[in-house]
Amino acid sequence: MWNNLDADVYGFVKPDRISQYLSVATALDFNRVKLQASALGTFIHDRIKGQEAPKDKHIFTPAIFVNGYPLRNKDLSIRAFYKQSFRMPTFNDLYYADMGNSKLSPERVTQYNLGLLYDHQSSSFISSARVSADVYYNRVKDKIVAYPKGQQFRWTMLNLGLVDIRGIDLTGLLTINPYKDLYLTVRGQYTFQRAIDITNPSDNYYRDQIPYIPRHSGAAVINAQWKGWGLNYSWIYVGERYNQQENIRYNYTQPWYTSDVSLSKDFKLGRVSLRGLIEINNLLSQDYDVILNYPMPKRNYRFTLTVEI
């Protein structure tokens, strides 16, 4: 893969990058147990016009996945994985306008995950039921983040030396068929995530939650489908966060939630398939900021027509 970046800016460095990837993967299936393993070699060579180029990067990242099925019908599965990953900063991360940081280091992550999944499908009143629970631990070295900081709140790219992330993901889905052609679906999701900076014990923000990562977040969706009609309601919640590295009252950002409603209809004109969609987003017209000083729209509407020929 070859990438480059150019800009009509005096003295721009005009970087280019040659990336090479070598991967190997295998899978074993013992009916009740499935194993997967992979390894990826990443080789990065950057060049900068008229300047000394960064050192080449040679990274090896393995991964192992295990799935077990304790029941004969395989509705219940136990899963686990270990994975290492590597993220090279993009040219936008490094050089774009005032937000780029040419000193960024690549991000390296070690991930552990253990989870349960129950997934049942049938043609009866309960046509689908799905529940999952995962606990995970990530250790991130040189985590790449972007957020507004400073007096003028300019977007800034930087590395967080070492981040400890522990969390729980819970999801659920239930679809019922109470009447012919009528399907009602309820989906829910909840995430608890403790993502703390453990770079340097002498820092004021040592073991504080990193910027803009909520400890609690979730979503709920209710959907009805009947003869090509679709009615959908979704609710999204993001808990309290901090907009800077120090978890102090001055940097506190309030939680927010939104409600969205949509109505759709699928129909045909000859061989042409069409879908009409009407959306009302932020139904309750809430005031909220995902990022401090960047307010989101209040109640807004969208009309969409999709045509497939």
Side-chain angles (χ1 to χ4, degrees), residues 111-262:
Q111 300 172 267
Y112 303 88
N113 189 95
L114 178 64
L116 293 172
L117 171 64
Y118 177 80
D119 190 358
H120 178 73
Q121 309 288 331
S122 74
S123 56
S124 61
F125 176 77
I126 298 178
S127 63
S128 179
R130 180 185 176 96
V131 179
S132 69
D134 288 270
V135 294
Y136 59 87
Y137 170 65
N138 299 340
R139 191 174 181 86
V140 189
K141 183 179 180 182
D142 294 321
K143 182 174 178 61
I144 299 172
V145 297
Y147 65 93
K149 63 180 299 186
Q151 293 182 346
Q152 296 181 352
F153 280 88
R154 288 187 174 181
W155 283 90
T156 305
M157 303 295 307
L158 52 85
N159 287 118
L160 302 181
L162 191 60
V163 177
D164 182 290
I165 302 176
R166 306 178 188 215
I168 300 171
D169 279 337
L170 303 175
T171 66
L173 178 148
L174 178 67
T175 300
I176 61 174
N177 181 206
Y179 181 73
K180 183 180 179 181
D181 298 325
L182 175 62
Y183 291 88
L184 303 175
T185 300
V186 178
R187 292 194 298 268
Q189 175 264 326
Y190 166 76
T191 297
F192 168 79
Q193 185 176 98
R194 191 202 70 168
I196 59 175
D197 190 322
I198 58 170
T199 305
N200 187 347
S202 64
D203 290 332
N204 292 334
Y205 47 83
Y206 180 68
R207 299 189 69 82
D208 281 357
Q209 190 85 349
I210 66 177
Y212 289 107
I213 301 298
R215 293 215 173 202
H216 304 277
S217 61
V221 176
I222 301 174
N223 177 265
Q225 296 287 335
W226 181 73
K227 293 185 177 181
W229 288 92
L231 180 62
N232 193 81
Y233 168 78
S234 66
W235 179 80
I236 298 173
Y237 171 79
V238 175
E240 60 185 20
R241 298 150 294 146
Y242 293 90
N243 55 65
Q244 300 291 328
Q245 289 174 280
E246 296 91 346
N247 289 182
I248 58 177
R249 180 176 297 181
Y250 181 77
N251 297 330
Y252 178 82
T253 301
Q254 292 185 348
W256 60 268
Y257 65 90
T258 61
S259 296
D260 305 314
V261 176
S262 67

Side-chain angles (χ1 to χ4, degrees), residues 1-3 15-19 44-46 88-91 94:
M1 181 183 295
W2 175 74
N3 304 87
D16 73 289
R17 172 179 297 167
I18 297 175
S19 307
I44 306 293
H45 175 68
D46 282 359
M88 191 70 188
T90 66
F91 285 156
L94 294 165

